[in-house]
Amino acid sequence: MAGGAHIETGGRHYEGEVTAFVLITCFVAAMGGLLFGYDLGITGGVTSMEPFLVKFFPTVYKQMLDDSSTNQYCKFDNQLLTLFTSSLYLAALIASFFAATTTRLFGRKPSMFLGGLFFLIGALLNGFAINVEMLIIGRIFLGFGVGYYNQSVPIYLSEMAPAKIRGALNIGFQMMITLGILGANLINYATSRHKNGWRVSLGLGAVPAILLCVGSLCLEETPNSLIERGQHVKAKTMLQKVRGTNNVDEEYQDLVDASEAASKVENPWKNITRRRYRPQLTFCSLIPFFQQLTGINVIMFYAPVLFTILGFGNDASLMSAVITGGVNVLATFVSVFCVDKFGRRILFLEGGIQMLVCQIVVGVMIGLKFGLNGQGSFNKGEADILLVFICLYVAAFAWSWGPLGWLVPSEICSLEIRAAGQAINVAVNMFFTFGIGQIFLSLLCHLKFGLFFFFGAWVLVMTIFIAFLLPETKNVPVEEMNYVWKSHWFWNKYIPDDAVPPAYNSSKAAP
């Protein structure tokens, strides 16, 4: 099978239906994305508000006012300012490893509750901040919240959802991220003219945090987690409730078998490095790595700053961020409706090509207007064209690498390595979000318009990577994923025969 096209897995298809219970449960859990999204949207707007800069970053504010002599590329180049933004992601990286243990030993619900609680504390600290130190400590607590939620929610959704709509329900997490970004952009626009508007913007993060703490207490634990912790009777009852049928014996037994195999694993962190798990380790590491090198997060949490640099004006930059946030939400619906119908690969590939084209166009436009010295500005017509291509770029990400970057790693790992695989996914994601967030404004200052070509080159690499190495995983039960790897032209040599049933080994892998 060349490249990783569709394969007939031979996996089981369990009885059951899409119940209202599972839809409501997954909706409540997916609300965890509001935390991540709200922070992504709120930070860039706050760092472009003059009262906030005057109070905490007066050097940046003075530099911003000196339009006549300041290179536009370098107006916001300040490491303390970027530390305010990126410190959250370093904290989330550290928290993800603790969250992996919490999720495995105590269940998915406690991790979600802790995520909301940490985020609540961080939002209150930021809203009442009186100095930079208090801001940074608040950001660290926000990071703990994001780390715990990003660890537990994708796993929860993948375990609760029926295989045939797992993609759509899991993408609910990304949908909530985009709604959080849009809501934050609207709040920033509304509060930007008030002296203490930045306090309102930062402090309102407490609202989704409270909702999530309460919501997590109302959720049911997943059957997988209950079996993992020895609550077999409750697990079977929950599986019947989730699937809407009493005939769950086959799926239940598969979950029990997977749990027994997982219980024999003494160290899941060491286990995931074994040769037989090479595909899972590769994708849990490289997909979040590539996701950050699309450049999307610097667009989302630096959007108002970026638009200000490009000459949009303060209010216009915030409104442009609202527009891109709206596009982000709408485009995510495309993924929700397409991911289980057309599959993961086609969305990855189309999105990569569209992002590459848009980044080249944006880089060329900025290069022609600002050159190497950073002097210039866009007129209204040029600014509108630039905004259109940035929106097309955001749309491509929103229906491809955005949701799929969380979906695919969460669905490819078997139970014995699931917590470790998701922790690696979150940790890599947060590490590179931190790194790129910390150096973005310096990169913009030094690479200038070439920064967009830098991200474009990475998009080309990751699109080729997907084309050749990612098999299609739609409609495959999570516990049957080894069929997929065994059928792939490249990964089959890593999967031992005992990883799939004997009936499969006696037949040929799909072409």
Side-chain angles (χ1 to χ4, degrees):
M1 182 196 71
H6 177 69
I7 47 182
E8 298 297 329
T9 66
R12 295 184 178 92
H13 296 281
Y14 305 115
E15 184 177 332
E17 58 186 32
V18 180
T19 63
F21 171 76
V22 77
L23 291 176
I24 293 171
T25 298
C26 288
F27 174 78
V28 173
M31 286 178 61
L34 287 173
L35 301 182
F36 196 18
Y38 188 84
D39 182 78
L40 282 173
I42 216 72
T43 306
V46 165
T47 53
S48 70
M49 293 181 186
E50 292 186 2
F52 177 82
L53 292 175
V54 168
K55 182 171 182 60
F56 296 106
F57 304 99
T59 302
V60 176
Y61 179 70
K62 181 180 178 182
Q63 185 173 313
M64 184 184 71
L65 291 180
D66 191 10
D67 287 337
S68 61
S69 61
T70 300
N71 182 321
Q72 290 288 90
Y73 293 122
C74 301
K75 288 175 68 172
F76 289 84
D77 183 17
N78 182 281
Q79 289 300 303
L80 189 59
L81 178 63
T82 53
L83 181 62
F84 165 70
T85 299
S86 59
S87 57
L88 179 150
Y89 304 101
L90 185 60
L93 184 160
I94 297 170
S96 66
F97 293 101
F98 293 98
T101 301
T102 303
T103 301
R104 180 168 56 88
L105 295 181
F106 303 105
R108 287 48 167 157
K109 284 181 56 176
S111 284
M112 287 188 272
F113 176 79
L114 285 173
L117 184 62
F118 282 133
F119 200 92
L120 173 61
I121 296 172
L124 293 176
L125 284 172
N126 274 186
F128 291 103
I130 58 175
N131 52 45
V132 173
E133 290 77 13
M134 195 169 173
L135 275 180
I136 301 299
I137 293 172
R139 294 290 290 174
I140 291 173
F141 273 99
L142 292 174
F144 289 160
V146 169
Y148 265 82
Y149 243 96
N150 285 2
Q151 162 71 19
S152 55
V153 171
I155 290 178
Y156 186 93
L157 294 172
S158 289
E159 291 180 345
M160 276 293 198
K164 60 185 177 182
I165 61 164
R166 185 177 62 240
L169 291 182
N170 204 296
I171 287 172
F173 180 65
Q174 178 68 19
M175 176 61 70
M176 290 298 178
I177 291 177
T178 64
L179 287 172
I181 292 171
L182 177 60
N185 288 334
L186 289 169
I187 290 171
N188 279 337
Y189 186 74
T191 61
S192 62
R193 298 188 181 186
H194 299 280
K195 182 178 180 181
N196 289 314
W198 62 270
R199 290 192 184 277
V200 177
S201 292
L202 294 174
L204 281 177
V207 175
I210 292 172
L211 291 175
L212 293 166
C213 284
V214 175
S216 65
L217 295 176
C218 299
L219 292 176
E220 300 284 358
E221 193 58 83
T222 70
N224 308 64
S225 179
L226 292 170
I227 292 172
E228 192 174 28
R229 291 178 291 121
Q231 301 177 40
H232 290 262
V233 175
K234 189 175 181 180
K236 188 169 185 178
T237 301
M238 180 55 57
L239 187 60
Q240 292 170 335
K241 189 175 182 180
V242 169
R243 299 295 179 248
T245 178
N246 290 326
N247 186 17
V248 297
D249 291 345
E250 185 178 32
E251 182 175 7
Y252 174 75
Q253 189 58 49
D254 283 347
L255 294 179
V256 171
D257 292 343
S259 179
E260 290 176 352
S263 66
K264 297 175 183 177
V265 178
E266 295 182 1
N267 189 336
W269 297 101
K270 182 179 179 180
N271 201 52
I272 199 173
T273 63
R274 294 171 59 191
R275 178 181 173 85
R276 66 189 299 158
Y277 299 114
R278 193 64 47 80
Q280 293 92 329
L281 179 60
T282 298
F283 285 103
C284 285
S285 302
L286 289 185
I287 283 183
F289 168 72
F290 285 141
Q291 187 190 54
Q292 295 313 305
L293 285 169
T294 61
I296 186 63
N297 277 350
V298 298
I299 294 293
M300 299 315 297
F301 59 63
Y302 285 125
V305 171
L306 181 61
F307 288 129
T308 299
I309 289 173
L310 298 178
F312 279 61
N314 204 30
D315 286 347
S317 68
L318 288 171
M319 179 50 67
S320 297
V322 170
I323 292 171
T324 57
V327 168
N328 197 18
V329 172
L330 293 175
T332 303
F333 277 106
V334 175
S335 191
V336 169
F337 289 110
C338 293
V339 68
D340 290 314
K341 183 176 182 181
F342 299 109
R344 284 65 161 148
R345 280 172 47 79
I346 188 64
L347 291 176
F348 265 130
L349 297 176
E350 191 284 331
I353 293 171
Q354 185 171 321
M355 283 191 291
L356 175 60
V357 171
C358 292
Q359 284 167 319
I360 291 172
V361 172
V362 170
V364 169
M365 287 186 67
I366 295 175
L368 291 175
K369 181 59 63 172
F370 289 89
L372 294 175
N373 61 13
Q375 300 295 324
S377 63
F378 288 105
N379 60 41
K380 186 179 185 305
E382 293 167 337
D384 288 343
I385 293 173
L386 184 74
L387 181 60
V388 166
F389 276 97
I390 289 179
C391 285
L392 288 173
Y393 163 79
V394 170
F397 178 86
W399 63 55
S400 62
W401 280 88
L404 299 180
W406 295 106
L407 168 60
V408 172
S410 73
E411 70 180 359
I412 62 175
C413 292
S414 50
L415 187 61
E416 67 268 20
I417 59 167
R418 191 167 299 155
Q422 183 63 12
I424 290 171
N425 179 36
V426 174
V428 173
N429 190 300
M430 293 299 109
F431 177 78
F432 284 98
T433 302
F434 164 76
I436 293 176
Q438 186 64 32
I439 67 174
F440 169 69
L441 294 177
S442 292
L443 283 175
L444 182 62
C445 181
H446 292 90
L447 294 181
K448 304 174 173 57
F449 61 88
L451 180 61
F452 293 92
F453 301 140
F454 169 80
F455 286 128
W458 279 108
V459 169
L460 178 62
V461 171
M462 67 183 70
T463 302
I464 294 172
F465 169 79
I466 292 296
F468 283 96
L469 294 179
L470 180 68
E472 184 54 69
T473 57
K474 72 169 183 173
N475 298 332
V476 181
V478 174
E479 305 305 332
E480 300 291 325
M481 206 60 70
N482 276 337
Y483 285 115
V484 175
W485 307 119
K486 194 65 175 177
S487 300
H488 191 270
W489 70 274
F490 180 79
W491 298 116
N492 60 52
K493 61 180 176 285
Y494 292 98
I495 310 301
D497 289 343
D498 63 4
V500 292
Y504 174 85
N505 292 322
S506 64
S507 62
K508 281 187 175 182

